[in-house]
Amino acid sequence: MKKIWIVLLVMGSLTFVIPLGMGIYYAIVGFSGLCFCGMRYGFSAFFDSILLYSYLCWPSYIVGIILIILSILKIKRK
């Protein structure tokens, strides 16, 4: 039963790791966002991609926080 809560903890953590991975990827490759005015690189692309992901997929952060809190409580209880 403890393995299930560990899996849920990892899944909850992934909701915060995925945007960071996308930001690093777009910082290297380039990011244009919703604009066709040119590519951005570096910290600007990193910040813009995380901001766009957070704006569009903000419910994933709430689900991730709930999964993390529940799994930590259940793991510590046992």
Side-chain angles (χ1 to χ4, degrees), residues 50-64:
I50 290 180
L51 189 68
L52 184 62
Y53 178 87
S54 298
Y55 180 73
L56 294 175
C57 299
W58 62 268
S60 68
Y61 292 134
I62 295 171
V63 171

mmCIF file with all atom_site columns, all heavy atoms in Angstrom, residues 50-64:
data_model
loop_
_atom_site.group_PDB
_atom_site.id
_atom_site.type_symbol
_atom_site.label_atom_id
_atom_site.label_alt_id
_atom_site.label_comp_id
_atom_site.label_asym_id
_atom_site.label_entity_id
_atom_site.label_seq_id
_atom_site.pdbx_PDB_ins_code
_atom_site.Cartn_x
_atom_site.Cartn_y
_atom_site.Cartn_z
_atom_site.occupancy
_atom_site.B_iso_or_equiv
_atom_site.pdbx_formal_charge
_atom_site.auth_seq_id
_atom_site.auth_comp_id
_atom_site.auth_asym_id
_atom_site.auth_atom_id
_atom_site.pdbx_PDB_model_num
ATOM 1   N N   . ILE A 1 50 ? 7.488  28.877 -19.191 1.00 0.00 ? 50 ILE A N   1
ATOM 2   C CA  . ILE A 1 50 ? 6.896  28.520 -17.899 1.00 0.00 ? 50 ILE A CA  1
ATOM 3   C C   . ILE A 1 50 ? 5.663  29.370 -17.625 1.00 0.00 ? 50 ILE A C   1
ATOM 4   O O   . ILE A 1 50 ? 4.655  28.879 -17.120 1.00 0.00 ? 50 ILE A O   1
ATOM 5   C CB  . ILE A 1 50 ? 7.933  28.648 -16.772 1.00 0.00 ? 50 ILE A CB  1
ATOM 6   C CG1 . ILE A 1 50 ? 8.966  27.545 -16.910 1.00 0.00 ? 50 ILE A CG1 1
ATOM 7   C CG2 . ILE A 1 50 ? 7.271  28.590 -15.404 1.00 0.00 ? 50 ILE A CG2 1
ATOM 8   C CD1 . ILE A 1 50 ? 10.041 27.560 -15.881 1.00 0.00 ? 50 ILE A CD1 1
ATOM 9   N N   . LEU A 1 51 ? 5.711  30.635 -17.979 1.00 0.00 ? 51 LEU A N   1
ATOM 10  C CA  . LEU A 1 51 ? 4.559  31.507 -17.785 1.00 0.00 ? 51 LEU A CA  1
ATOM 11  C C   . LEU A 1 51 ? 3.371  31.060 -18.633 1.00 0.00 ? 51 LEU A C   1
ATOM 12  O O   . LEU A 1 51 ? 2.238  30.994 -18.141 1.00 0.00 ? 51 LEU A O   1
ATOM 13  C CB  . LEU A 1 51 ? 4.936  32.952 -18.123 1.00 0.00 ? 51 LEU A CB  1
ATOM 14  C CG  . LEU A 1 51 ? 3.911  34.010 -17.777 1.00 0.00 ? 51 LEU A CG  1
ATOM 15  C CD1 . LEU A 1 51 ? 3.794  34.128 -16.266 1.00 0.00 ? 51 LEU A CD1 1
ATOM 16  C CD2 . LEU A 1 51 ? 4.334  35.339 -18.365 1.00 0.00 ? 51 LEU A CD2 1
ATOM 17  N N   . LEU A 1 52 ? 3.613  30.704 -19.879 1.00 0.00 ? 52 LEU A N   1
ATOM 18  C CA  . LEU A 1 52 ? 2.535  30.246 -20.753 1.00 0.00 ? 52 LEU A CA  1
ATOM 19  C C   . LEU A 1 52 ? 1.961  28.911 -20.266 1.00 0.00 ? 52 LEU A C   1
ATOM 20  O O   . LEU A 1 52 ? 0.739  28.732 -20.233 1.00 0.00 ? 52 LEU A O   1
ATOM 21  C CB  . LEU A 1 52 ? 3.032  30.108 -22.192 1.00 0.00 ? 52 LEU A CB  1
ATOM 22  C CG  . LEU A 1 52 ? 1.997  29.721 -23.236 1.00 0.00 ? 52 LEU A CG  1
ATOM 23  C CD1 . LEU A 1 52 ? 0.910  30.784 -23.333 1.00 0.00 ? 52 LEU A CD1 1
ATOM 24  C CD2 . LEU A 1 52 ? 2.657  29.515 -24.580 1.00 0.00 ? 52 LEU A CD2 1
ATOM 25  N N   . TYR A 1 53 ? 2.826  27.980 -19.862 1.00 0.00 ? 53 TYR A N   1
ATOM 26  C CA  . TYR A 1 53 ? 2.349  26.707 -19.334 1.00 0.00 ? 53 TYR A CA  1
ATOM 27  C C   . TYR A 1 53 ? 1.526  26.925 -18.066 1.00 0.00 ? 53 TYR A C   1
ATOM 28  O O   . TYR A 1 53 ? 0.482  26.311 -17.885 1.00 0.00 ? 53 TYR A O   1
ATOM 29  C CB  . TYR A 1 53 ? 3.527  25.775 -19.038 1.00 0.00 ? 53 TYR A CB  1
ATOM 30  C CG  . TYR A 1 53 ? 3.106  24.461 -18.443 1.00 0.00 ? 53 TYR A CG  1
ATOM 31  C CD1 . TYR A 1 53 ? 2.755  23.402 -19.265 1.00 0.00 ? 53 TYR A CD1 1
ATOM 32  C CD2 . TYR A 1 53 ? 3.042  24.268 -17.068 1.00 0.00 ? 53 TYR A CD2 1
ATOM 33  C CE1 . TYR A 1 53 ? 2.347  22.187 -18.741 1.00 0.00 ? 53 TYR A CE1 1
ATOM 34  C CE2 . TYR A 1 53 ? 2.634  23.065 -16.529 1.00 0.00 ? 53 TYR A CE2 1
ATOM 35  C CZ  . TYR A 1 53 ? 2.295  22.031 -17.362 1.00 0.00 ? 53 TYR A CZ  1
ATOM 36  O OH  . TYR A 1 53 ? 1.890  20.845 -16.825 1.00 0.00 ? 53 TYR A OH  1
ATOM 37  N N   . SER A 1 54 ? 1.997  27.799 -17.186 1.00 0.00 ? 54 SER A N   1
ATOM 38  C CA  . SER A 1 54 ? 1.290  28.050 -15.929 1.00 0.00 ? 54 SER A CA  1
ATOM 39  C C   . SER A 1 54 ? -0.061 28.708 -16.171 1.00 0.00 ? 54 SER A C   1
ATOM 40  O O   . SER A 1 54 ? -1.021 28.442 -15.448 1.00 0.00 ? 54 SER A O   1
ATOM 41  C CB  . SER A 1 54 ? 2.139  28.933 -15.013 1.00 0.00 ? 54 SER A CB  1
ATOM 42  O OG  . SER A 1 54 ? 3.331  28.283 -14.686 1.00 0.00 ? 54 SER A OG  1
ATOM 43  N N   . TYR A 1 55 ? -0.143 29.558 -17.175 1.00 0.00 ? 55 TYR A N   1
ATOM 44  C CA  . TYR A 1 55 ? -1.408 30.213 -17.489 1.00 0.00 ? 55 TYR A CA  1
ATOM 45  C C   . TYR A 1 55 ? -2.416 29.223 -18.059 1.00 0.00 ? 55 TYR A C   1
ATOM 46  O O   . TYR A 1 55 ? -3.607 29.261 -17.718 1.00 0.00 ? 55 TYR A O   1
ATOM 47  C CB  . TYR A 1 55 ? -1.173 31.352 -18.481 1.00 0.00 ? 55 TYR A CB  1
ATOM 48  C CG  . TYR A 1 55 ? -2.435 32.086 -18.850 1.00 0.00 ? 55 TYR A CG  1
ATOM 49  C CD1 . TYR A 1 55 ? -3.041 32.949 -17.951 1.00 0.00 ? 55 TYR A CD1 1
ATOM 50  C CD2 . TYR A 1 55 ? -3.032 31.907 -20.088 1.00 0.00 ? 55 TYR A CD2 1
ATOM 51  C CE1 . TYR A 1 55 ? -4.208 33.621 -18.265 1.00 0.00 ? 55 TYR A CE1 1
ATOM 52  C CE2 . TYR A 1 55 ? -4.195 32.569 -20.423 1.00 0.00 ? 55 TYR A CE2 1
ATOM 53  C CZ  . TYR A 1 55 ? -4.776 33.423 -19.510 1.00 0.00 ? 55 TYR A CZ  1
ATOM 54  O OH  . TYR A 1 55 ? -5.935 34.067 -19.832 1.00 0.00 ? 55 TYR A OH  1
ATOM 55  N N   . LEU A 1 56 ? -1.957 28.328 -18.920 1.00 0.00 ? 56 LEU A N   1
ATOM 56  C CA  . LEU A 1 56 ? -2.871 27.399 -19.574 1.00 0.00 ? 56 LEU A CA  1
ATOM 57  C C   . LEU A 1 56 ? -3.185 26.167 -18.728 1.00 0.00 ? 56 LEU A C   1
ATOM 58  O O   . LEU A 1 56 ? -4.294 25.638 -18.789 1.00 0.00 ? 56 LEU A O   1
ATOM 59  C CB  . LEU A 1 56 ? -2.287 26.952 -20.921 1.00 0.00 ? 56 LEU A CB  1
ATOM 60  C CG  . LEU A 1 56 ? -2.148 28.042 -21.975 1.00 0.00 ? 56 LEU A CG  1
ATOM 61  C CD1 . LEU A 1 56 ? -1.452 27.496 -23.204 1.00 0.00 ? 56 LEU A CD1 1
ATOM 62  C CD2 . LEU A 1 56 ? -3.494 28.624 -22.336 1.00 0.00 ? 56 LEU A CD2 1
ATOM 63  N N   . CYS A 1 57 ? -2.233 25.705 -17.946 1.00 0.00 ? 57 CYS A N   1
ATOM 64  C CA  . CYS A 1 57 ? -2.393 24.443 -17.218 1.00 0.00 ? 57 CYS A CA  1
ATOM 65  C C   . CYS A 1 57 ? -2.322 24.634 -15.712 1.00 0.00 ? 57 CYS A C   1
ATOM 66  O O   . CYS A 1 57 ? -1.794 23.780 -14.998 1.00 0.00 ? 57 CYS A O   1
ATOM 67  C CB  . CYS A 1 57 ? -1.317 23.459 -17.671 1.00 0.00 ? 57 CYS A CB  1
ATOM 68  S SG  . CYS A 1 57 ? -1.387 23.069 -19.417 1.00 0.00 ? 57 CYS A SG  1
ATOM 69  N N   . TRP A 1 58 ? -2.845 25.723 -15.193 1.00 0.00 ? 58 TRP A N   1
ATOM 70  C CA  . TRP A 1 58 ? -2.774 25.982 -13.752 1.00 0.00 ? 58 TRP A CA  1
ATOM 71  C C   . TRP A 1 58 ? -3.493 24.937 -12.913 1.00 0.00 ? 58 TRP A C   1
ATOM 72  O O   . TRP A 1 58 ? -3.085 24.681 -11.781 1.00 0.00 ? 58 TRP A O   1
ATOM 73  C CB  . TRP A 1 58 ? -3.280 27.385 -13.422 1.00 0.00 ? 58 TRP A CB  1
ATOM 74  C CG  . TRP A 1 58 ? -4.713 27.636 -13.768 1.00 0.00 ? 58 TRP A CG  1
ATOM 75  C CD1 . TRP A 1 58 ? -5.193 28.146 -14.928 1.00 0.00 ? 58 TRP A CD1 1
ATOM 76  C CD2 . TRP A 1 58 ? -5.851 27.366 -12.950 1.00 0.00 ? 58 TRP A CD2 1
ATOM 77  N NE1 . TRP A 1 58 ? -6.557 28.219 -14.881 1.00 0.00 ? 58 TRP A NE1 1
ATOM 78  C CE2 . TRP A 1 58 ? -6.991 27.750 -13.680 1.00 0.00 ? 58 TRP A CE2 1
ATOM 79  C CE3 . TRP A 1 58 ? -6.028 26.854 -11.663 1.00 0.00 ? 58 TRP A CE3 1
ATOM 80  C CZ2 . TRP A 1 58 ? -8.279 27.616 -13.175 1.00 0.00 ? 58 TRP A CZ2 1
ATOM 81  C CZ3 . TRP A 1 58 ? -7.310 26.723 -11.163 1.00 0.00 ? 58 TRP A CZ3 1
ATOM 82  C CH2 . TRP A 1 58 ? -8.418 27.107 -11.914 1.00 0.00 ? 58 TRP A CH2 1
ATOM 83  N N   . PRO A 1 59 ? -4.539 24.256 -13.398 1.00 0.00 ? 59 PRO A N   1
ATOM 84  C CA  . PRO A 1 59 ? -5.143 23.224 -12.551 1.00 0.00 ? 59 PRO A CA  1
ATOM 85  C C   . PRO A 1 59 ? -4.198 22.054 -12.243 1.00 0.00 ? 59 PRO A C   1
ATOM 86  O O   . PRO A 1 59 ? -4.347 21.384 -11.225 1.00 0.00 ? 59 PRO A O   1
ATOM 87  C CB  . PRO A 1 59 ? -6.343 22.738 -13.353 1.00 0.00 ? 59 PRO A CB  1
ATOM 88  C CG  . PRO A 1 59 ? -6.688 23.869 -14.247 1.00 0.00 ? 59 PRO A CG  1
ATOM 89  C CD  . PRO A 1 59 ? -5.383 24.496 -14.590 1.00 0.00 ? 59 PRO A CD  1
ATOM 90  N N   . SER A 1 60 ? -3.212 21.826 -13.103 1.00 0.00 ? 60 SER A N   1
ATOM 91  C CA  . SER A 1 60 ? -2.274 20.736 -12.827 1.00 0.00 ? 60 SER A CA  1
ATOM 92  C C   . SER A 1 60 ? -1.461 21.017 -11.566 1.00 0.00 ? 60 SER A C   1
ATOM 93  O O   . SER A 1 60 ? -1.087 20.081 -10.845 1.00 0.00 ? 60 SER A O   1
ATOM 94  C CB  . SER A 1 60 ? -1.333 20.516 -14.018 1.00 0.00 ? 60 SER A CB  1
ATOM 95  O OG  . SER A 1 60 ? -0.457 21.609 -14.180 1.00 0.00 ? 60 SER A OG  1
ATOM 96  N N   . TYR A 1 61 ? -1.191 22.280 -11.277 1.00 0.00 ? 61 TYR A N   1
ATOM 97  C CA  . TYR A 1 61 ? -0.478 22.628 -10.044 1.00 0.00 ? 61 TYR A CA  1
ATOM 98  C C   . TYR A 1 61 ? -1.331 22.305 -8.812  1.00 0.00 ? 61 TYR A C   1
ATOM 99  O O   . TYR A 1 61 ? -0.809 21.808 -7.811  1.00 0.00 ? 61 TYR A O   1
ATOM 100 C CB  . TYR A 1 61 ? -0.104 24.105 -10.026 1.00 0.00 ? 61 TYR A CB  1
ATOM 101 C CG  . TYR A 1 61 ? 0.944  24.484 -11.044 1.00 0.00 ? 61 TYR A CG  1
ATOM 102 C CD1 . TYR A 1 61 ? 0.792  25.614 -11.836 1.00 0.00 ? 61 TYR A CD1 1
ATOM 103 C CD2 . TYR A 1 61 ? 2.093  23.735 -11.210 1.00 0.00 ? 61 TYR A CD2 1
ATOM 104 C CE1 . TYR A 1 61 ? 1.748  25.978 -12.761 1.00 0.00 ? 61 TYR A CE1 1
ATOM 105 C CE2 . TYR A 1 61 ? 3.052  24.083 -12.136 1.00 0.00 ? 61 TYR A CE2 1
ATOM 106 C CZ  . TYR A 1 61 ? 2.879  25.212 -12.898 1.00 0.00 ? 61 TYR A CZ  1
ATOM 107 O OH  . TYR A 1 61 ? 3.823  25.564 -13.810 1.00 0.00 ? 61 TYR A OH  1
ATOM 108 N N   . ILE A 1 62 ? -2.613 22.565 -8.895  1.00 0.00 ? 62 ILE A N   1
ATOM 109 C CA  . ILE A 1 62 ? -3.501 22.281 -7.762  1.00 0.00 ? 62 ILE A CA  1
ATOM 110 C C   . ILE A 1 62 ? -3.587 20.775 -7.526  1.00 0.00 ? 62 ILE A C   1
ATOM 111 O O   . ILE A 1 62 ? -3.487 20.306 -6.388  1.00 0.00 ? 62 ILE A O   1
ATOM 112 C CB  . ILE A 1 62 ? -4.896 22.898 -8.011  1.00 0.00 ? 62 ILE A CB  1
ATOM 113 C CG1 . ILE A 1 62 ? -4.785 24.418 -8.059  1.00 0.00 ? 62 ILE A CG1 1
ATOM 114 C CG2 . ILE A 1 62 ? -5.881 22.456 -6.939  1.00 0.00 ? 62 ILE A CG2 1
ATOM 115 C CD1 . ILE A 1 62 ? -6.036 25.119 -8.500  1.00 0.00 ? 62 ILE A CD1 1
ATOM 116 N N   . VAL A 1 63 ? -3.744 20.012 -8.594  1.00 0.00 ? 63 VAL A N   1
ATOM 117 C CA  . VAL A 1 63 ? -3.789 18.553 -8.474  1.00 0.00 ? 63 VAL A CA  1
ATOM 118 C C   . VAL A 1 63 ? -2.464 18.032 -7.918  1.00 0.00 ? 63 VAL A C   1
ATOM 119 O O   . VAL A 1 63 ? -2.439 17.142 -7.055  1.00 0.00 ? 63 VAL A O   1
ATOM 120 C CB  . VAL A 1 63 ? -4.123 17.902 -9.834  1.00 0.00 ? 63 VAL A CB  1
ATOM 121 C CG1 . VAL A 1 63 ? -3.956 16.397 -9.782  1.00 0.00 ? 63 VAL A CG1 1
ATOM 122 C CG2 . VAL A 1 63 ? -5.515 18.273 -10.278 1.00 0.00 ? 63 VAL A CG2 1
ATOM 123 N N   . GLY A 1 64 ? -1.351 18.596 -8.376  1.00 0.00 ? 64 GLY A N   1
ATOM 124 C CA  . GLY A 1 64 ? -0.045 18.180 -7.885  1.00 0.00 ? 64 GLY A CA  1
ATOM 125 C C   . GLY A 1 64 ? 0.136  18.456 -6.410  1.00 0.00 ? 64 GLY A C   1
ATOM 126 O O   . GLY A 1 64 ? 0.643  17.604 -5.664  1.00 0.00 ? 64 GLY A O   1
#
